[in-house]
Amino acid sequence: MSLLRNLARFSFYFKLFTVVVLVGLFLSYLSPFIHPNTIKIVPFFGLAYPVIISITFLLLICWAFARSRWFFYVLIALICGGSLHFRTLAFNYFKDPPSYEAKNTWKLMTYNVRLFDLYNPSIQKRNETRDSIVDYIRRESPDIVCFQEFFHQDKPSSFSTKDTLLQVMNFSNSHDRYSHRIRNRQNFGICMISKYPMIAKGDIMFQNFKSTDNYCIYADIVKGKDTIRFYNVHLQSIKLQQEDYELFGQEEKQAGNKKSTIRLLLDKLRIAYPARADQALRVVEHIKTSPYPVVVCGDFNDTPLSFVYNQFSSILVDSYRETSTGIGATYVGKVPAGRIDYIFHTGDIGALDFNIQNRPFSDHRAIQSTLYVK
């Protein structure tokens, strides 16, 4: 009798746990479609989607072995996600290669270089990281490179990174946007360098850009008879500091109040989500006015199941999903985020490949795609 009671109790709690997980799964489905200011908790479920979907599949297996009708409840919940699942997991094993002319291809790289490791206490290691990044770009030999969290020091300096890159790549075209520090002639922001001429340049202003160093720039670049508008974006950062990475449960003092590290992380995310969403909407509206085919790349600081990603994917093609198979994680920092760096393009452009850097020199991996005009 006692055994039956315990089994019934276990069955009740297991069903309750299944319901909680499925509710979380449906909230993650909603996150791409709801502005973070509308329901502030929803974006967190989009961020947690990889964990939630993994638990959901484990529940599906458990209920299958139990031969329970709850198997069908979980299966239906998974089916309801539809194509949303393929935003995180791409599949292109059996896709036929496109036809194109080699002379019409553009090799694009985008790379969040984390200021070339500027704040490393070891000057030797900092310089090694900077040199490794420059050498990697030289070896990969892209036609266009977009940088985020770019640092450049005006001459005379041993850290004149933009000039070094232009010289190493033998490029003469660049566009950048910085917040300038008069002391030590320091510049923090984003940069774009190109093998081909830039016939026009511009930027899209974000609110509070001076305090966040988040920007969007664009340039109309010409190769042969083709002109493409390239956007380099760095959307609102979470601004994690070293102390935010400490183990959960440790406490820091902030404004006289003690907050756990997990609370600090959640607060930073809560602030960043709506700002990033508004920035994305601003960029998308500008894209719609472009007289040329468009490529948008950079550090979006958001996952494929997010409001930000949805704004771009609704009008553009994700080159990773177009050409690759797998999850494609680009962020390698201490907080798991997966794929947050992207290359999007309009439908009159196609992607031939998508490559993710194997050995990272930053907390982001560089990503590359060879594009062609259809």
Side-chain angles (χ1 to χ4, degrees):
M1 194 70 173
S2 176
L3 178 61
L4 291 174
R5 190 181 299 113
N6 289 335
L7 287 173
R9 187 181 295 115
F10 173 78
S11 176
F12 170 78
Y13 285 120
F14 196 62
K15 290 176 182 177
L16 180 62
F17 177 71
T18 302
V19 170
V20 170
V21 172
L22 295 185
V23 169
L25 184 63
F26 277 105
L27 287 173
S28 71
Y29 293 161
L30 291 176
S31 61
F33 309 105
I34 297 179
H35 192 289
N37 264 337
T38 305
I39 305 176
K40 296 183 183 297
I41 196 173
V42 167
F44 292 95
F45 287 93
L47 178 65
Y49 167 81
V51 175
I52 296 172
I53 196 69
S54 299
I55 296 173
T56 304
F57 274 110
L58 288 175
L59 289 172
L60 185 71
I61 295 170
C62 290
W63 286 118
F65 277 111
R67 296 184 178 181
S68 169
R69 65 172 181 264
W70 279 80
F71 167 83
F72 296 101
Y73 299 155
V74 177
L75 181 62
I76 291 170
L78 286 169
I79 293 172
C80 286
S83 62
L84 289 175
H85 298 303
F86 296 99
R87 292 187 176 189
T88 301
L89 178 64
F91 188 81
N92 283 287
Y93 269 124
F94 306 109
K95 189 173 182 179
D96 294 329
S99 59
Y100 65 95
E101 293 185 34
K103 66 180 181 179
N104 291 335
T105 60
W106 311 59
K107 187 175 181 181
L108 171 68
M109 175 188 291
T110 178
Y111 198 174
N112 182 320
V113 292
R114 196 179 56 175
L115 305 177
F116 296 95
D117 208 16
L118 176 66
Y119 294 117
N120 193 315
S122 168
I123 295 178
Q124 180 182 350
K125 290 182 178 179
R126 179 199 70 181
N127 291 340
E128 286 176 358
T129 299
R130 177 203 59 195
D131 295 343
S132 295
I133 291 173
V134 172
D135 186 59
Y136 170 76
I137 296 168
R138 179 191 60 78
R139 286 185 283 106
E140 293 298 319
S141 189
D143 299 322
I144 300 163
V145 191
C146 293
F147 298 96
Q148 304 83 45
E149 291 193 36
F150 191 81
F151 174 76
H152 171 78
Q153 191 168 33
D154 297 332
K155 291 182 177 180
S157 167
S158 62
F159 226 82
S160 182
T161 49
K162 186 180 81 170
D163 298 326
T164 299
L165 285 160
L166 288 170
Q167 181 179 2
V168 167
M169 299 299 294
N170 196 25
F171 288 176
S172 58
N173 306 284
S174 67
H175 180 32
D176 41 35
R177 189 76 169 82
Y178 301 121
S179 60
H180 181 69
R181 310 287 192 267
I182 296 176
R183 182 184 178 186
N184 297 327
R185 309 174 313 283
Q186 295 178 322
N187 302 278
F188 301 83
I190 61 177
C191 177
M192 181 190 306
I193 63 173
S194 171
K195 178 179 180 180
Y196 304 112
M198 298 179 175
I199 60 171
K201 306 174 186 179
D203 53 19
I204 302 171
M205 304 301 292
F206 297 151
Q207 286 187 339
N208 303 320
F209 65 91
K210 289 185 178 179
S211 60
T212 64
D213 294 333
N214 292 108
Y215 305 100
C216 175
I217 59 175
Y218 65 90
D220 298 335
I221 301 178
V222 178
K223 178 184 179 183
K225 297 180 180 180
D226 296 322
T227 302
I228 297 178
R229 175 165 290 182
F230 287 85
Y231 288 84
N232 178 11
V233 302
H234 184 204
L235 301 184
Q236 185 71 35
S237 305
I238 301 173
K239 299 295 181 185
L240 291 175
Q241 306 299 323
Q242 183 60 41
E243 60 268 19
D244 299 327
Y245 291 123
E246 301 299 327
L247 294 174
F248 295 163
Q250 294 186 6
E251 294 182 338
E252 315 284 358
K253 284 189 175 181
Q254 183 179 5
N257 298 318
K258 285 187 175 181
K259 291 185 176 181
S260 66
T261 303
I262 184 64
R263 178 62 185 274
L264 284 170
L265 290 171
L266 292 175
D267 283 350
K268 289 176 182 290
L269 287 166
R270 179 180 53 81
I271 294 169
Y273 275 126
R276 198 156 51 232
D278 291 338
Q279 291 168 359
L281 290 170
R282 194 174 184 88
V283 175
V284 166
E285 286 305 310
H286 195 280
I287 290 170
K288 293 176 181 178
T289 67
S290 173
Y292 306 113
V294 165
V295 175
V296 187
C297 67
D299 176 8
F300 292 65
N301 272 310
D302 236 329
T303 63
L305 242 70
S306 66
F307 181 85
V308 164
Y309 180 91
N310 198 58
Q311 300 313 301
F312 291 95
S313 67
S314 62
I315 64 168
L316 302 170
V317 179
D318 181 344
S319 60
Y320 178 81
R321 291 172 60 193
E322 182 184 10
T323 62
S324 299
T325 296
I327 296 175
T330 63
Y331 184 71
V332 292
K334 296 183 179 179
V335 175
R339 188 162 70 100
I340 62 175
D341 303 87
Y342 304 98
I343 297 174
F344 290 99
H345 58 80
T346 45
D348 42 10
I349 294 175
L352 297 175
D353 55 29
F354 193 100
N355 297 299
I356 301 176
Q357 182 184 24
N358 289 322
R359 181 191 172 194
F361 303 113
S362 168
D363 56 352
H364 291 249
R365 298 180 189 272
I367 59 175
Q368 301 179 65
S369 184
T370 303
L371 307 169
Y372 67 98
V373 178
K374 294 182 178 178

